[in-house]
Amino acid sequence: QPGRHCILQGVGEEICWLNNGETRASLKSRSTTATSPQRGLMVTPMKLGLLTDIHEHVEFLKVALERFDSEQVDQVVVIGDLFEMGERIAETCRLLEEAAAIGVWGNHDFGLCVEPDAGIRQRYPADVLKFMASLRPRLVVGDCHFSHVEPWLDAENLTDLWYYEGPPDDRNKLERIFAAVPQHLLFAGH
């Protein structure tokens, strides 16, 4: 697609492809009010705090949430994989609930988010199950698409959630990704 293509992968791993001659710095300096390419409508600016692959690392999560608070983000968005072994999932969910986080599930979260069986419901507190049930396979906020996996995969299929063939580092991979959804900013986990 013409214009910019930007994919963020985890903390500190930003890969941007700009095929219209702009630089990343010039994109950051633009006005935050933009026109939606799909509808021609004005989009309300929103500062998002993005979290992916938390895996119950509560200390890192607290630091990130404190930073989001100081940066005055409008919405915290999780991009899957909150769960690791279940030892700190209650605290993880509590912190995210307090931050009014929204988001998508990852491959590690699937069993808690999609029809948890009786054993899961017995093992984890109701507030954990409630928060995990609030996560979705994909989420759209403005012109941003969030999914734990690339959007051409089915995030409601556990096999697809585990799929990963490395970073999207060639034109064919990028075309497959950006052809899958109408949004221009795509965010994924792993």
Side-chain angles (χ1 to χ4, degrees):
Q1 293 198 14
R4 67 177 178 244
H5 300 288
C6 187
I7 297 173
L8 301 183
Q9 299 178 313
V11 176
E13 297 179 37
E14 181 177 349
I15 302 173
C16 287
W17 287 269
L18 306 173
N19 61 7
N20 60 358
E22 295 183 88
T23 64
R24 190 179 310 154
S26 67
L27 289 173
K28 287 182 180 178
S29 65
R30 281 188 175 175
S31 168
T32 56
T33 302
T35 301
S36 168
Q38 287 85 12
R39 296 176 216 82
L41 303 172
M42 292 306 288
V43 176
T44 304
M46 178 182 274
K47 188 182 283 188
L48 300 176
L50 307 180
L51 298 165
T52 185
D53 296 86
I54 298 166
H55 293 291
E56 300 177 47
H57 292 286
V58 174
E59 289 76 20
F60 295 134
L61 175 58
K62 287 177 181 177
V63 170
L65 292 173
E66 287 172 11
R67 177 70 183 265
F68 293 163
D69 188 51
S70 71
E71 295 289 333
Q72 300 178 343
V73 302
D74 298 305
Q75 181 66 64
V76 175
V77 179
V78 295
I79 312 174
D81 279 1
L82 285 65
F83 190 83
E84 179 71 20
M85 299 296 290
E87 296 170 4
R88 299 190 79 182
I89 193 64
E91 188 175 2
T92 301
C93 289
R94 180 186 57 76
L95 290 167
L96 293 169
E97 178 71 31
E98 289 172 359
I102 59 173
V104 300
W105 64 61
N107 46 309
H108 288 266
D109 309 320
F110 193 78
L112 285 168
C113 297
V114 181
E115 300 175 10
D117 63 31
I120 296 289
R121 288 192 310 273
Q122 185 176 7
R123 182 174 178 189
Y124 296 101
D127 54 341
V128 167
L129 297 172
K130 181 181 176 189
F131 183 80
M132 297 303 282
S134 75
L135 301 177
R136 300 286 164 244
R138 64 197 62 78
L139 175 69
V140 174
V141 177
D143 198 30
C144 300
H145 181 276
F146 301 93
S147 176
H148 191 66
V149 292
E150 295 175 16
W152 60 273
L153 293 162
D154 181 1
E156 297 181 64
N157 177 302
L158 188 56
T159 302
D160 279 5
L161 277 172
W162 281 96
Y163 179 87
Y164 182 71
E165 66 176 6
D169 52 5
D170 69 47
R171 184 175 248 349
N172 291 334
K173 289 179 184 178
L174 287 171
E175 287 175 357
R176 177 176 62 186
I177 290 168
F178 284 95
V181 293
Q183 291 78 33
H184 291 89
L185 300 171
L186 310 181
F187 302 89
H190 283 292

